[in-house]
Amino acid sequence: GVNSGSSSKKRPKDGALTIKGTGRFWKLLGWITLGLFIFSVLLYIYNVRKNKDTYFAHYKEFGIDLPTAYEIHGIDVSHHQGKINWPMVKSMESQNLRIGFVFIKATEGYQLVDKSFTDNWFQAGLMGIPRGAYHFFIPGKSGARQAANFIKHVPKESGTLPPVIDIEQRYKVAPAIFRKELQEMLDSLEHYYQ
């Protein structure tokens, strides 16, 4: 039996045995953990903002910020950039830094082909800029059909960079469906371009 005269134990109405004060301990531990988590996030944000120049540098010749911890830098392009002067891209240099590769938007979803893809692909290749193509992935749509669109329009050439899938948002698609369709596309592209 339970010693009903004990001050450290009490029997609740349902008959389970509990120890006095344990609820307060877990509540306090929860608040301390939450406080440490929030402090850590704020410290991280502060350090990134304070030390932005440590991680990125602005190159006005390129018109973009680039990370400083890498020796090779690349760009991605699509019809949104308009007509690209590829000889100028090839010759651009700033502070001993050059554009070392380019990813060119090829396709989106089931049917869309970027209207500048063919020209950008040809011109970047002509300039000898290492190039690869990317697909703008639409979550919730068949990954196999999206892969077929990409494969139909992106040539299988030696010396090109592997395909890239651009995922910008989930569009409220359930994570399991999102992963399933993405995996189908990845498997199809890997099989075709290996």
Side-chain angles (χ1 to χ4, degrees):
V2 175
N3 180 355
S4 60
S6 171
S7 62
S8 67
K9 298 178 184 179
K10 76 176 194 184
R11 183 174 298 279
K13 292 179 182 175
D14 66 2
L17 183 65
T18 61
I19 299 173
K20 274 186 173 181
T22 58
R24 278 185 260 138
F25 169 77
W26 289 110
K27 189 183 238 183
L28 180 61
L29 184 61
W31 282 110
I32 291 171
T33 303
L34 179 62
L36 288 172
F37 173 74
I38 292 170
F39 175 75
S40 298
V41 168
L42 292 174
L43 184 62
Y44 173 78
I45 292 168
Y46 170 78
N47 281 326
V48 167
R49 286 188 178 166
K50 180 181 175 204
N51 300 312
K52 181 181 182 284
D53 294 337
T54 303
Y55 304 113
F56 291 89
H58 184 75
Y59 294 85
K60 69 178 183 178
E61 296 83 358
F62 302 147
I64 55 176
D65 291 339
L66 295 172
T68 57
Y70 300 96
E71 294 181 22
I72 300 172
H73 294 86
I75 57 173
D76 67 285
V77 298
S78 71
H79 71 277
H80 294 291
Q81 280 73 45
K83 181 93 172 129
I84 295 170
N85 182 337
W86 288 102
M88 185 176 147
V89 172
K90 174 75 174 173
S91 67
M92 286 184 349
E93 186 171 344
S94 176
Q95 302 170 32
N96 295 322
L97 185 126
R98 301 179 77 106
I99 298 299
F101 62 90
V102 61
F103 275 99
I104 302 165
K105 181 178 182 183
T107 53
E108 179 175 332
Y110 295 156
Q111 298 176 342
L112 192 132
V113 179
D114 189 274
K115 62 185 176 185
S116 299
F117 174 69
T118 302
D119 185 53
N120 284 337
W121 187 259
F122 177 75
Q123 294 296 329
L126 193 63
M127 291 293 104
I129 300 170
R131 67 204 162 132
Y134 75 89
H135 173 85
F136 188 92
F137 185 76
I138 306 295
K141 304 288 184 185
S142 165
R145 286 185 62 197
Q146 292 189 67
N149 184 26
F150 186 88
I151 289 167
K152 180 179 176 182
H153 295 97
V154 178
K156 186 177 180 179
E157 299 176 5
S158 68
T160 58
L161 299 170
V164 167
I165 300 174
D166 178 8
I167 303 168
E168 297 197 7
Q169 48 184 312
R170 208 176 80 214
Y171 298 104
K172 298 182 183 178
V173 172
I177 294 169
F178 179 88
R179 286 189 298 272
K180 177 187 167 292
E181 297 305 335
L182 178 59
Q183 191 62 57
E184 278 185 19
M185 183 166 189
L186 288 167
D187 292 344
S188 296
L189 295 181
E190 186 175 2
H191 176 74
Y192 183 79
Y193 289 99
Q194 60 179 323

